[in-house]
Amino acid sequence: MPPAMISSPATAAAVRTFPDAQVVVEAVSKVFQSERSLLSRLRSRPGDRYVALEGVDLAIEKNTFVSIIGPSGCGKSTLLNLIAGLDRPSSGQILVDGERIKGPGPDRGIIFQNYALMPWLTALANVEYAVETACPKLSHGQARERARQYLSMVGLERSMHRYPKQMSGGMKQRVAIARALSINPTILLMDEPFGALDALTRAYLQEEVLRIWENNRITVVLITHSIEEALLLSDKIVLMSRGPAARIADVIDLPPLRPRQRSVIDQHPDFLAIKIRLEEHLLNETRAVEERT
Amino acid sequence: MPENRLSGPLAVAVSCLSILLALLIWQILATQGVLGKNFPGSVKTLEELVWWLSDPFFNNGPNDLGIGTNLLISLRRVLIGYGLAVVVAVPLGLVMGISRIADASLNPFVQLLKPVSPLAWLPIGLFIFRDSELTGVFVIFISSIWPTLINTAFGVSSINPDFLRVSRSLGASQLRTIHKVVLPAVMPNILAGMRISMGTAWLVIVAAEMLLGSGIGYFIWNEWNNLSLPNIFVAIIVIGFAGLLLDQVFGWLQKRFDYQL
Ligand SMILES: Nc1ncnc2c1ncn2[C@@H]1O[C@H](COP(=O)(O)OP(=O)(O)OP(=O)(O)O)[C@@H](O)[C@H]1O
Ligand SMILES: [Mg+2]
């Protein structure tokens, strides 16, 4: 709970408060302004405003695996996009390594929910595009070699000349993982990366991600709505409240049990207790959302 | 429905049969005088076609050119005018798709000028250029610019935003994103637009040339003055085949570049 309670707006203060934090989200709000037609702008009618996030405070320590979980539509993707620098907060600030972020950067690799592979490029070319863009100093051959290496890491050495349309959902997501990691990010941001996959593929990929992460522990922020996924993968689970004006409801530290077997989640008493807590929270929030409408 | 379509030799056989049938009906109608006195039948027309095709490139002065020569003149005008149109339309379409300001400032012109018949530009072309060749190219340019422009702009505005986000998140410059992401992503739209533009250009050139003094359109006008209907049919057949071939080239290109297939 404590890390979610910062109020000081100053950068220096935030860094002092969280000396280990790599990502600091400080008093961040995000308001979406719906587009107004020319006419209503001339009449100076206000457009529709939607307050997605309000006063979100969060500190993420270096090399930890953090999951963000919350009811559907609460603003998880919004928060991730802000950390990624793809979108700007309406107020508040986000610091990465003590510096206020101004936009996206190759220090943060992103995995999107629907793979977002470019369909006109092969798997190899997709990863190569990322490497060449993020590391323009590499020669063409070096970039290609790096791309191959990361595709092999996710087990795609024999399918790297395939186009996305020739690959299954799981393979596409593995390419996306390879692409995000190929630029050597210090932070990996994932937005429901396994949401669109069938249960078996999902379980397999969760273990792949875990294996890769155990080999090279970078900071990971994972958006998910699967409690089990969060329990299996994370060091820390961040619970968000429902929107509008969603905030951080709770931050739960998980027992430092690694490597973690799937069965642990159902047997270990601590995990079980956390699981029940998460279920209760999500159920309450979802009920509140459903009963409001 | 497509699954039910005939294919292979059977389809070819049916097509040939239907063409033969049409030629037969044409011949009967013509010989019966249903279409007026002296209306050429299909036999006469085919005889003329063979004659014109046996020596397509002769040149006996401006009013007596081989049909191939005329066709090449028309093709040259179309390719120059159309090429210029594409060179202008694709970058302009990209800009319109990317920048809202460009879109808002150019859209009124596009909407206003698009529905105007290309032939309305003929007198203006003639006045400006005082030259039939340039006027032809100009009319083709102005009539074939719109479909490519509109398709390109639409393609850019309907690009999957995730592709752009990926590129941006990697720190790609705007120029690199346009070159490596936007352009390949809208390639199918560009080609679809270019295909429609080519169709329009080929339609327009025939009409425009009737007033210009050479080319396949002028050939038709000339044969009308000679009251030689069979030759006009010959020209129609040649124009049709040339248009078909041009369209096929784009069909092939579209298949080649359509990553969604
Ligand atoms: N560009 C936008 N303009 C207006 N409203 C938006 C915009 N993007 C998101 N929203 C709204 O903000 C809220 C949060 O959206 P967001 O996508 O972040 O939720 P989420 O938690 O990721 O949902 P999900 O579980 O469905 O992925 C939603 O109510 C959504 O309608
Ligand atoms: Mg989301």
Side-chain angles (χ1 to χ4, degrees):
Chain A
M1 196 72 162
M5 291 287 138
I6 332 164
S7 54
S8 151
T11 309
V15 175
R16 239 180 287 122
T17 323
F18 304 104
D20 296 337
Q22 185 172 25
V23 181
V24 176
V25 177
E26 200 175 23
V28 160
S29 300
K30 179 70 191 175
V31 181
F32 288 111
Q33 198 87 45
S34 72
E35 263 182 56
R36 290 177 300 162
S37 67
L38 189 63
L39 199 65
S40 65
R41 241 181 296 173
L42 286 176
R43 290 172 173 169
S44 63
R45 280 203 191 146
D48 285 331
R49 276 163 47 95
Y50 182 82
V51 181
L53 303 174
E54 192 168 79
V56 171
D57 293 311
L58 180 66
I60 295 169
E61 279 110 45
K62 213 171 168 59
N63 303 345
T64 52
F65 200 123
V66 175
S67 295
I68 299 180
I69 198 165
S72 176
C74 69
K76 305 182 290 294
S77 298
T78 305
L79 179 57
L80 198 79
N81 283 337
L82 292 174
I83 298 174
L86 290 169
D87 213 345
R88 287 169 177 279
S90 308
S91 66
Q93 60 176 354
I94 295 170
L95 314 176
V96 171
D97 291 324
E99 281 193 49
R100 187 176 185 152
I101 60 164
K102 294 187 185 67
D107 55 335
R108 282 152 286 156
I110 309 172
I111 298 177
F112 296 92
Q113 173 163 10
N114 35 12
Y115 327 122
L117 299 181
M118 319 231 176
W120 56 89
L121 298 177
T122 61
L124 183 62
N126 263 290
V127 180
E128 235 179 293
Y129 175 70
V131 177
E132 282 178 345
T133 308
C135 323
K137 288 204 186 91
L138 292 183
S139 73
H140 184 69
Q142 286 169 316
R144 171 157 294 212
E145 191 42 47
R146 168 105 68 102
R148 277 177 198 282
Q149 181 193 326
Y150 277 88
L151 282 165
S152 305
M153 185 183 73
V154 295
L156 285 177
E157 55 274 82
R158 302 207 290 162
S159 319
M160 53 185 138
H161 295 294
R162 289 202 202 179
Y163 286 90
K165 66 186 171 203
Q166 302 164 324
M167 292 189 280
S168 67
M171 289 166 87
K172 282 189 257 198
Q173 197 53 288
R174 280 190 276 164
V175 178
I177 294 170
R179 177 174 64 184
L181 292 176
S182 68
I183 61 172
N184 273 332
T186 54
I187 303 168
L188 180 64
L189 306 171
M190 301 195 267
D191 191 353
E192 296 190 25
F194 314 123
L197 303 173
D198 64 274
L200 287 174
T201 312
R202 186 183 315 149
Y204 170 69
L205 276 189
Q206 285 165 346
E207 261 145 48
E208 280 287 292
V209 163
L210 210 49
R211 175 182 67 80
I212 293 166
W213 184 76
E214 298 279 5
N215 284 335
N216 178 20
R217 292 199 178 196
I218 59 175
T219 309
V220 177
V221 181
L222 168 82
I223 304 281
T224 179
H225 52 220
S226 157
I227 292 173
E228 199 185 317
E229 184 168 294
L231 288 171
L232 179 70
L233 301 174
S234 351
D235 297 316
K236 219 174 230 197
I237 299 179
V238 175
L239 269 170
M240 284 179 75
S241 69
R242 65 179 181 271
R247 25 171 74 243
I248 306 295
D250 208 349
V251 178
I252 301 172
D253 285 303
L254 294 186
L257 198 63
R258 301 256 183 206
R260 200 175 289 167
Q261 303 300 318
R262 213 167 273 276
S263 54
V264 162
I265 299 163
D266 292 321
Q267 289 158 12
H268 195 292
D270 291 353
F271 277 93
L272 213 54
I274 294 168
K275 183 176 181 179
I276 291 166
R277 201 164 137 201
L278 292 174
E279 273 170 356
E280 212 164 286
H281 170 82
L282 284 183
L283 201 62
N284 278 339
E285 294 296 300
T286 306
R287 184 178 298 133
V289 170
E290 294 298 324
E291 280 171 5
R292 187 177 53 207
T293 51
Chain B
M1 214 59 121
E3 308 94 82
N4 296 340
R5 286 179 68 155
L6 292 180
S7 63
L10 189 60
V12 174
V14 172
S15 297
C16 288
L17 218 67
S18 97
I19 290 173
L20 280 177
L21 192 68
L23 290 174
L24 187 70
I25 293 171
W26 176 6
Q27 181 64 22
I28 290 170
L29 290 178
T31 47
Q32 296 300 311
V34 180
L35 300 166
K37 233 182 358 178
N38 295 332
F39 193 89
S42 51
V43 175
K44 173 88 176 116
T45 301
L46 289 177
E47 276 170 18
E48 288 292 336
L49 181 66
V50 169
W51 184 84
W52 281 105
L53 292 183
S54 63
D55 180 15
F57 297 110
F58 64 81
N59 183 351
N60 303 330
N63 281 343
D64 196 8
L65 294 174
I67 196 149
T69 314
N70 271 318
L71 190 68
L72 287 183
I73 291 172
S74 300
L75 272 175
R76 190 185 62 217
R77 285 179 182 145
V78 163
L79 291 184
I80 295 173
Y82 170 83
L84 286 174
V86 169
V87 166
V88 172
V90 171
L92 212 56
L94 289 176
V95 170
M96 279 177 75
I98 291 166
S99 149
R100 288 190 200 190
I101 294 177
D103 184 53
S105 46
L106 291 173
N107 212 9
F109 296 100
V110 176
Q111 297 303 333
L112 187 74
L113 297 180
K114 181 183 60 143
V116 175
S117 164
L119 297 183
W121 295 99
L122 260 180
I124 297 180
L126 282 169
F127 182 84
I128 297 174
F129 300 111
R130 321 232 159 215
D131 176 80
S132 63
E133 186 68 30
L134 284 177
T135 303
V137 168
F138 168 71
V139 170
I140 293 304
F141 170 80
I142 209 119
S143 56
S144 53
I145 200 165
W146 312 118
T148 305
L149 180 64
I150 292 166
N151 265 274
T152 306
F154 173 76
V156 175
S157 62
S158 55
I159 222 173
N160 181 346
D162 277 349
F163 299 158
L164 304 177
R165 275 146 44 100
V166 166
S167 199
R168 216 151 68 79
S169 77
L170 293 165
S173 68
Q174 191 114 4
L175 214 60
R176 182 169 167 82
T177 301
I178 290 172
H179 176 211
K180 293 288 193 174
V181 180
V182 175
L183 210 51
V186 295
M187 205 55 192
N189 299 81
I190 293 177
L191 286 173
M194 285 173 65
R195 188 177 191 174
I196 303 170
S197 285
M198 178 50 88
T200 313
W202 196 235
L203 281 179
V204 167
I205 191 66
V206 175
E209 280 174 344
M210 292 197 180
L211 304 165
L212 289 181
S214 64
I216 194 84
Y218 181 69
F219 176 91
I220 290 182
W221 185 247
N222 202 28
E223 296 305 324
W224 167 240
N225 287 331
N226 296 340
L227 279 180
S228 171
L229 251 53
N231 286 348
I232 294 180
F233 278 120
V234 167
I236 288 175
I237 293 169
V238 168
I239 291 167
F241 269 102
L244 185 69
L245 278 178
L246 290 173
D247 195 60
Q248 287 302 304
V249 171
F250 281 96
W252 177 80
L253 277 175
Q254 276 185 304
K255 255 199 211 124
R256 169 87 179 61
F257 282 98
D258 196 348
Y259 55 81
Q260 278 157 350
L261 287 180

